[in-house]
Amino acid sequence: MTIPAASAGTPRCDTQRIQAAVKDLASVGASGISVTVKSPRCGVWSGGAGLADIRTGRKVVGNEHSRIASNTKTWTATVVLQLVGEGRIGLDDTVDKYLPGLIRTEHYDGRKITVRQLLQHTSGLPDYMDAPFWSDLEAHRWDHIEPLLTVEQTLTLPPPDRTPSGFAYSNTNYNLAGLIVAKVTGRSIGAEIEQRIIKPLGLRDTYWPGDRTTLPEPDLRGYVEQGGKLVDKTAWNVSASDASGALVTTGADTTAFWTALWTGKLLAPAQLAEMKRTVPEEEGGGYGLGVERYEHTPGFVTWGHSGYMETGHKVRNAVTGDGQRAVTLLIGSEQFDSAKVDTIVDDLIRDLR
């Protein structure tokens, strides 16, 4: 039998390493984890560990919809940087240029805060979630909250602790960036993400929820521990999260977005280079413009953006700089062995072929 020349030397996909990682993820203490892996030999592979729904016993298979929380920030930053490339926003323009008079208090001045600082978390603005309004999350579970209100709540708070680089992670920064996008384009950040990212990439399982409190089926239920039990908190109005964390999607769509981003399909080289310029952040890593830089193994760099939502949903992802290898985890509960998960992700993406 003659082997076609094109396939004679082509290495075959071996999912053994992926399957071993999924088995390890089943022991980290999460209710369920949706796993998507991309590699040159295997393409995109999806699977899961644990239960997508504890009540019904439905297992995670890898196609579940989930909230990706702060991974949304990367999508927002991508839109802002596209507008920078179009000459409609300047990274070093001030907030006050686009939202005159909005930030003007004893501690905070929009004339001294730039768009770059918002995306980089070096603005010095505190996180709106630290406002007394949010001390009881359940009290606002079903409320529609305008992003402008979250910014106004921030302005009453004292300045946050910052690293020597000026970094202080704040959801407020991204809700403000979303307001700037709306001012410049006349459309909400959700509409811009849909037009500029979701539709062009054909991400059929990604959507901006607005006031919708439920997830499309199949869903990854979200669980929070209360009184020693896991309580289902999936249904939630996350409108307050807006540009800082509202997106709903799947592991496959998240992976497709990050692959497109890192292979130059969404940003011009100049803007992608700006995105990758990092400052040191709290845990020893680096933060660019809406992206986290990881170098857990010396010389081996990956990128991603973790996320946590009050519904219990969490996200971990890592992508190599060439966009050829990626691991995306959508996690259904807030309590699990986080260090073990990070190690599994690091080892897997390093070993992918």
Side-chain angles (χ1 to χ4, degrees):
M1 183 176 70
T2 304
I3 300 174
S7 62
T10 304
R12 291 187 175 183
C13 166
D14 180 3
T15 62
Q16 207 168 11
R17 180 66 188 86
I18 301 172
Q19 298 282 7
V22 172
K23 186 177 179 181
D24 288 342
L25 287 169
S27 66
V28 301
S31 57
I33 303 177
S34 177
V35 184
T36 303
V37 177
K38 179 182 183 293
S39 71
R41 292 183 189 174
C42 294
V44 178
W45 180 98
S46 293
L51 299 178
D53 188 332
I54 293 174
R55 183 181 62 83
T56 65
R58 175 167 53 90
K59 293 182 178 180
V60 180
V61 297
N63 65 344
E64 293 80 12
H65 296 85
S66 183
R67 306 188 190 282
I68 60 167
S70 287
N71 199 277
T72 303
K73 290 181 173 68
T74 313
W75 305 58
T76 295
T78 299
V79 169
V80 173
L81 286 165
Q82 285 183 352
L83 291 166
V84 169
E86 295 164 14
R88 301 171 72 184
I89 289 178
L91 272 179
D92 296 310
D93 287 345
T94 66
V95 170
D96 209 66
K97 175 178 178 178
Y98 302 101
L99 303 169
L102 178 60
I103 311 295
R104 200 73 62 83
T105 72
E106 177 189 356
H107 297 297
Y108 313 113
D109 188 342
R111 295 168 295 184
K112 298 177 181 177
I113 298 171
T114 66
V115 174
R116 182 192 304 276
Q117 289 172 328
L118 294 181
L119 300 183
Q120 200 178 58
H121 293 300
T122 54
S123 70
L125 291 169
D127 193 329
Y128 74 83
M129 292 296 292
D130 292 333
F133 181 87
W134 297 100
S135 59
D136 182 358
L137 291 173
E138 287 282 346
H140 308 289
R141 183 173 177 177
W142 311 110
D143 294 353
H144 170 83
I145 306 287
E146 288 290 332
L148 180 59
L149 176 61
T150 68
V151 174
E152 291 170 347
Q153 291 169 341
T154 297
L155 300 180
T156 65
L157 300 174
D161 293 331
R162 304 169 73 178
T163 66
S165 67
F167 182 90
Y169 191 90
S170 169
N171 289 295
T172 310
N173 289 320
Y174 274 77
N175 280 3
L176 255 176
L179 291 175
I180 290 173
V181 168
K183 187 67 177 289
V184 169
T185 66
R187 297 194 299 188
S188 69
I189 184 63
E192 288 295 321
I193 286 175
E194 286 173 359
Q195 290 299 315
R196 292 172 173 271
I197 300 175
I198 295 173
K199 287 184 179 179
L201 295 183
L203 305 181
R204 296 177 182 173
D205 290 309
T206 304
Y207 81 99
W208 193 260
D211 286 325
R212 177 175 172 173
T213 60
T214 58
L215 298 180
E217 295 181 349
D219 59 354
L220 181 69
R221 307 301 293 179
Y223 296 96
V224 173
E225 191 171 317
Q226 288 183 345
K229 294 181 179 179
L230 288 181
V231 180
D232 191 327
K233 300 289 185 179
T234 308
W236 205 289
N237 186 323
V238 299
S239 54
S241 298
D242 197 58
S244 68
L247 267 178
V248 171
T249 184
T250 60
D253 274 11
T254 303
T255 301
F257 161 72
W258 280 87
T259 299
L261 178 61
W262 252 220
T263 53
K265 293 181 175 66
L266 291 172
L267 292 176
Q271 279 73 57
L272 192 56
E274 291 285 6
M275 179 176 262
K276 290 183 175 182
R277 288 175 57 188
T278 63
V279 296
E281 45 99 349
E282 290 117 329
E283 296 174 5
Y287 199 94
L289 303 185
V291 293
E292 296 169 347
R293 181 185 187 276
Y294 316 119
E295 191 174 352
H296 301 296
T297 301
F300 183 69
V301 174
T302 60
W303 302 82
H305 204 301
S306 56
Y308 163 69
M309 187 61 77
E310 50 264 43
T311 56
H313 293 104
K314 286 193 170 184
V315 177
R316 292 284 191 279
N317 80 305
V319 185
T320 53
D322 59 4
Q324 297 305 302
R325 290 176 277 171
V327 177
T328 304
L329 306 183
L330 307 181
I331 306 169
S333 56
E334 62 177 354
Q335 299 293 335
F336 54 88
D337 188 337
S338 184
K340 186 173 182 179
V341 167
D342 289 343
T343 298
I344 293 168
V345 171
D346 294 342
D347 291 347
L348 177 58
I349 194 167
R350 192 180 61 243
D351 295 344
L352 285 175
R353 296 294 179 263

